[in-house]
Amino acid sequence: MISAQQRQVRVDLGTRSYDILIGPDLLATAGTRIAERLPKARAAIVTDENVAAAHAATLSASLEQAGIEAATITVAPGEKSKNFATLERVVDEVIAAKLERGDVVVALGGGVVGDLAGFVSGIVRRGMKFVQMPTSLLAQVDSSVGGKTGINTQRGKNLVGVFQQPSLVLADTTVLDTLPEREFRAGYAEVAKYGLIDRPDFFAWLEANWRDVFAGGDARTHAIAESCRAKAEVVARDEFEKGDRALLNLGHTFGHAFEAATQYDGSRLVHGEGVAIGMALAHRFSSRLNLCSMDDALRVEAHLRAVGLPISPLEIPGELPGAERMLDFIAQDKKVSRGALTFILTKGIGQSFVARDVPPSEVLSFLQTTLHAEAA
Amino acid sequence: MISAQQRQVRVDLGTRSYDILIGPDLLATAGTRIAERLPKARAAIVTDENVAAAHAATLSASLEQAGIEAATITVAPGEKSKNFATLERVVDEVIAAKLERGDVVVALGGGVVGDLAGFVSGIVRRGMKFVQMPTSLLAQVDSSVGGKTGINTQRGKNLVGVFQQPSLVLADTTVLDTLPEREFRAGYAEVAKYGLIDRPDFFAWLEANWRDVFAGGDARTHAIAESCRAKAEVVARDEFEKGDRALLNLGHTFGHAFEAATQYDGSRLVHGEGVAIGMALAHRFSSRLNLCSMDDALRVEAHLRAVGLPISPLEIPGELPGAERMLDFIAQDKKVSRGALTFILTKGIGQSFVARDVPPSEVLSFLQTTLHAEAA
């Protein structure tokens, strides 16, 4: 069923369980893999203009070969497509294609396409089938696994959506060869994150082998599979984010605040870079609170820096707001629960935990140090 | 906890189980009932302008007395509020009220408000808490129970939504006293439906006691509770409408087609009236197919006629399309599965069943008789 170069990771969610296949050539064989899991389903491929140009023909041919009739729905690339207007248009096109509840929406693209298409599949006819075909590293190791879907509103990102588990995730590692270096590197921040959450051995393996992961081939497939396995385990413990799943936000509370402070301007900061800075800060902050050693914080910074990721807000081009304003961004983040500040902190490499009720005053004084005087 | 005049019906859905309370004075005591189930939750009341004028102050006072802070969000009355634009506005107002995942959206109104507010609660922050306070008979016995929520698109009704179970349903029977007679009667069609699906004794009870149900008091409370119990049992067997739940569509396939054919113009036909005609036709059609006796079909018609409901498309004011066009409306209905026609047919009073693959030719020739030559 899967070749020697491929890996299979099971996401164990009872009746909503599904497989993630990782490896080369999955795009070209997607049709048979979807048909064997969803016999007789028809499909709508949701993709963006860039990905469509590179990969839609390959996927359509593969679906056609397997007897799957498919409509293709294209959206503009970029975060701006995660809005109500695009949601309404894609919903309408899926309905216009006369797809029914047993039919499938296939998301072919990065996180934006996956989040949007997943949300569409979750609400058309109160829930259709859904297959993820992530084409960015970030999407392969993070957003395509776990069932979170949604769009943004003017009041914040991902504030509207549903939990919608896919029937299958096909992560074709070859498509990553054409990603811009900066985008691949940003996605790598999430790979490192899994080591830092609870897999110290994986983090050590990444320190030794990251060049091979960037180069492609089996090390890349291994890193992606290990990341998916890590995420799948957390998601299986806490599908609806009532507790442990918050661990996946390591680096994200700080990271989101910097993304918001830079108006999500990707020329200044992309998500994975924000996460890299956020993870570095989470370890520094933990060290400042005497939870983890400064050695561990420095080890995290050394690795992120080695792969070319930023580790300090001072590396973000342009002006940033002051510490008080940054604290506002953190408090507005959706992970806030009843006014208390929740952070993912750590006792060391691979020993992260959910800290609720972190005093805002501590965060503020840490931010002041970080924004005004930090030397790397 | 509940008074002698009140009934409690449990909807048994594992971790998503909840209670329906039915009886007088539930509006005035809603605050404590919500607070005991959702301690510390804040609330957004979603209602329409008409219901707001009659009941919002009572509910707000009750919530305030119980220490529940509540924002009120008002939409225009009527089916037209079940659209994307209103969805987006209500979503935005809920987010603007800074409600979090553990907070509650309270739907105060009829089916439109319940469907819209339920959908909002299902997608803001990927799912908040939800309480239904249905103020029409139709909503009390049908739409507020079972977790179906959604909006319409130009391509059809309820094509977009989620399954979102409430934490509690409070059906205040006193608020029904102010309903227009025609609306109460239309809601009664759904009450009779439960007898016709699988409760022949309940149907017989309604034949004997329908005047008391219309008059109010304990017979009304009993009829509503029995209806909720009937629906809850079907929903518990098939929460996500994969099989048996289709039984609840008795009368709806024909009924929806007539609603669509009259452009959902409530001055010509309201939903419950369409269901009444649909149930009469489902029994006639079953009799024509030698599935049930003509006596049973006539008994159904006699009861619906006694309470003042229509039983034939010829009673709908204005022109109707011909049989072929009506068949198109039926085929477009969302209960179509892979091109085959699905109907709820019956072997007699309270002996309904799901018939898949009903030949379109049979439906067409039945419609021809019904539309052109039927004598009641």
Side-chain angles (χ1 to χ4, degrees), chain A residues 84 87-89 91-92 123, chain B residues 81-89 119 151-153 160:
Chain A
F84 261 103
L87 177 77
E88 182 173 0
R89 177 172 70 80
V91 159
D92 188 63
I123 63 176
Chain B
S81 284
K82 283 176 62 175
N83 63 16
F84 261 105
T86 309
L87 177 76
E88 183 174 0
R89 177 171 70 81
F119 191 16
I151 58 173
N152 308 324
T153 81
V160 185

Side-chain angles (χ1 to χ4, degrees), chain A residues 100 123 125 159 161 338, chain B residues 100 123 125 149 159 161 338:
Chain A
E100 299 175 16
I123 63 176
R125 296 174 189 276
L159 288 177
R338 314 217 155 276
Chain B
E100 299 175 16
I123 62 176
R125 297 174 188 275
T149 72
L159 288 177
R338 312 214 158 280

Side-chain angles (χ1 to χ4, degrees), chain B residues 59-73:
Chain B
L59 177 57
S60 294
S62 167
L63 293 178
E64 196 181 326
Q65 223 168 9
I68 301 173
E69 197 186 317
T72 300
I73 301 168

Side-chain angles (χ1 to χ4, degrees), chain A residues 79 109 237 341 367:
Chain A
E79 192 75 22
R237 286 204 301 272
L341 292 182
L367 281 170

Side-chain angles (χ1 to χ4, degrees), chain B residues 4-7 22-24 137 140-141 173-174 176-177 184 188 191-192 202 205-229:
Chain B
Q5 297 156 299
Q6 291 165 347
R7 305 281 196 291
I22 303 116
L137 178 58
Q140 292 191 353
V141 299
T173 50
T174 333
L176 305 183
D177 290 339
F184 187 91
Y188 181 86
V191 175
F202 181 48
W205 183 89
L206 289 170
E207 288 178 308
N209 297 285
W210 67 267
R211 283 179 188 81
D212 294 336
V213 174
F214 276 65
D218 202 60
R220 178 187 289 173
T221 302
H222 171 74
I224 295 171
E226 192 68 10
S227 297
C228 291
R229 197 170 290 119

Side-chain angles (χ1 to χ4, degrees), chain A residues 303-325:
Chain A
H303 179 57
L304 296 175
R305 188 173 284 283
V307 307
L309 282 164
I311 57 170
S312 156
L314 301 178
E315 296 176 63
I316 302 171
E319 293 251 329
L320 280 182
E324 303 235 350
R325 183 80 187 98

Side-chain angles (χ1 to χ4, degrees), chain A residues 243-274:
Chain A
D244 258 16
R245 185 162 177 163
L247 286 171
L248 298 171
N249 290 324
L250 175 63
H252 283 60
T253 306
F254 285 119
H256 281 157
F258 291 117
E259 285 185 85
T262 51
Q263 287 92 45
Y264 300 95
D265 175 353
S267 69
R268 295 178 67 191
L269 187 74
V270 296
H271 177 69
E273 293 165 350

Side-chain angles (χ1 to χ4, degrees), chain B residues 261-330:
Chain B
T262 52
Q263 289 91 47
Y264 300 95
D265 175 353
S267 70
R268 295 178 68 191
L269 187 74
V270 297
H271 176 69
E273 292 165 351
V275 170
I277 294 171
M279 291 192 298
L281 294 186
H283 284 76
R284 282 251 170 182
F285 189 38
S286 298
S287 158
R288 184 184 164 99
L289 297 171
N290 292 317
L291 294 164
C292 94
S293 73
M294 184 54 104
D295 279 358
D296 280 342
L298 292 172
R299 188 176 151 197
V300 172
E301 291 181 1
H303 179 56
L304 296 175
R305 188 172 284 284
V307 308
L309 282 164
I311 57 171
S312 157
L314 301 176
E315 297 176 63
I316 301 170
E319 293 253 329
L320 279 182
E324 303 236 350
R325 183 81 187 99
M326 288 308 305
L327 186 63
D328 287 343
F329 280 115
I330 287 171

